[in-house]
Amino acid sequence: MTQDELKQAVAQAAADYVAEHLPEGAILGVGTGSTANLFIAALAPIKHRLGGAVASSEATRQRLEALGIPVVDMNDVERLSIYVDGADEIDSGMSMIKGGGGAQTREKIVAAGADTFVCIADASKRVPVLGRFPLPVEVIPMATRQVARQLAALGGTPKLREGFTTDNGNVILDVHGLSITDPLATETAINQMVGVVTNGLFAARGADLLLLGTETGVQRFSRTGQ
Ligand code: 5RP
């Protein structure tokens, strides 16, 4: 199977999960990226069951609205029961690197407001140790150089994502060459750097359920092991 076919399979599995578990009329949290885009398309047959969706990016907002799903402001939502999103890497502890699409800040906000984070990914995203994928760090532009120096002191090689501005008006430093053996410690350390808005490590709030697209079908992994 191609990577796109594996993504399609997990997108459909996530839509089935939503159909089964999201209360009728509830608001759904929706992520960003190519896998999330396939998930949005797979929502079409059940969109009438949704009260609306919170979008983790402007791109996702546009796709949801194009499908006729009302987009709700996060500030108007008390709590989401389900958030579905992709990942760039995920380890066996359900910690992730996200932000390949530069949307990790809003993704983290939506994930923090959700009871269940469902990660949808093809098998290539499952790794023993996070860090082969460059870690995206969103930075307020005037702090770029000083944050880059601190990231280099952690052992990484930060590179400015050229020609890219986040939905929040900031820049992204992609940090190459990190081997992240303690994702929570690294997430916390980078968050302490003044000028960092959010880094793409999702360890403090990892995934609860992973739907992983493999050659033998969609495999389910749960944080609780059930
Ligand atoms: C965007 C993200 C995406 O979830 C991540 O980049 C995975 O994308 P794709 O599904 O295209 O592989 O974090 O900021």
Side-chain angles (χ1 to χ4, degrees):
M1 280 169 98
T2 66
Q3 190 179 29
D4 281 349
E5 286 167 339
L6 296 176
K7 288 182 179 185
Q8 180 62 54
V10 291
Q12 186 55 55
D16 295 344
Y17 179 90
V18 168
E20 190 179 343
H21 295 279
L22 189 77
E24 184 93 29
I27 309 294
L28 175 69
V30 182
T32 297
S34 58
T35 319
N37 288 346
L38 293 168
F39 168 66
I40 294 168
L43 287 175
I46 58 163
K47 63 180 181 181
H48 58 279
R49 296 189 66 249
L50 308 180
V54 171
S56 64
S57 65
E58 288 305 311
T60 289
R61 181 182 62 75
Q62 285 171 16
R63 279 182 184 264
L64 288 164
E65 287 178 346
L67 199 62
I69 296 175
V71 175
V72 180
D73 191 292
M74 189 68 192
N75 288 305
D76 295 329
V77 174
E78 202 59 49
R79 193 82 193 142
L80 298 165
S81 61
I82 300 173
Y83 175 54
V84 178
D85 199 358
D88 299 301
E89 287 184 346
I90 182 163
D91 69 13
S92 59
M94 306 290 256
S95 294
M96 295 167 281
I97 287 183
K98 294 182 44 53
Q104 74 267 20
T105 298
R106 295 188 186 197
E107 291 172 342
K108 231 176 226 197
I109 292 167
V110 184
D115 294 334
T116 303
F117 186 140
V118 180
C119 176
I120 49 176
D122 66 85
S124 70
K125 308 288 184 68
R126 194 127 195 272
V127 298
V129 178
L130 301 174
R132 192 201 288 254
F133 189 92
L135 176 65
V137 181
E138 179 168 356
V139 180
I140 291 174
M142 76 174 284
T144 306
R145 282 191 70 182
Q146 68 186 39
V147 168
R149 278 195 292 274
Q150 292 174 78
L151 291 169
L154 281 186
T157 304
K159 293 202 174 120
L160 182 67
R161 198 177 294 184
E162 294 289 345
F164 185 85
T165 304
T166 70
D167 285 344
N168 314 306
N170 298 311
V171 298
I172 297 275
L173 288 169
D174 291 305
V175 189
H176 297 248
L178 290 175
S179 177
I180 304 169
T181 50
D182 187 343
L184 182 58
T186 304
E187 179 180 10
T188 306
I190 296 175
N191 281 342
Q192 296 303 317
M193 297 175 187
V194 175
V196 167
V197 179
T198 316
N199 71 79
L201 274 169
F202 283 59
R205 204 288 176 251
D208 300 298
L209 176 66
L210 167 62
L211 300 176
L212 190 72
T214 74
E215 289 294 336
T216 52
V218 175
Q219 293 182 15
R220 292 168 69 116
F221 299 86
S222 140
R223 178 184 281 279
T224 58
Q226 290 162 1

